[in-house]
Amino acid sequence: MSYILGLFRPIIIRDSRYNQNLTSAATIIEVGATGNTLDECMNSMKYLAKVFDEVMK
């Protein structure tokens, strides 16, 4: 699996449910992992916020 412009790591798909089954439009977005710094996570959130801003308009 290739990285998208170095922004994402491979996504792991599981059969686990974390309350997404409670509604038809639920999702979980996890930012960062044990190998990331808080600064890296916060920088990523800037881009995610821009995407949400565009989608919600």
Side-chain angles (χ1 to χ4, degrees), residues 8-21:
F8 298 102
R9 292 185 180 172
I11 297 172
I12 300 170
I13 305 295
R14 295 190 174 122
D15 288 335
S16 303
R17 295 187 327 183
Y18 300 93
N19 295 329
Q20 300 102 307
N21 59 310

Side-chain angles (χ1 to χ4, degrees), residues 16-56:
S16 303
R17 295 187 327 183
Y18 300 93
N19 295 329
Q20 300 102 307
N21 59 310
L22 299 179
T23 183
S24 62
T27 189
I28 294 176
I29 299 174
E30 296 181 1
V31 178
T34 57
N36 294 106
T37 66
L38 179 58
D39 284 338
E40 289 171 332
C41 296
M42 297 301 286
N43 287 335
S44 297
M45 292 311 301
K46 289 188 274 189
Y47 299 106
L48 183 59
K50 288 180 182 182
V51 170
F52 278 136
D53 183 52
E54 288 296 317
V55 170
M56 300 303 277

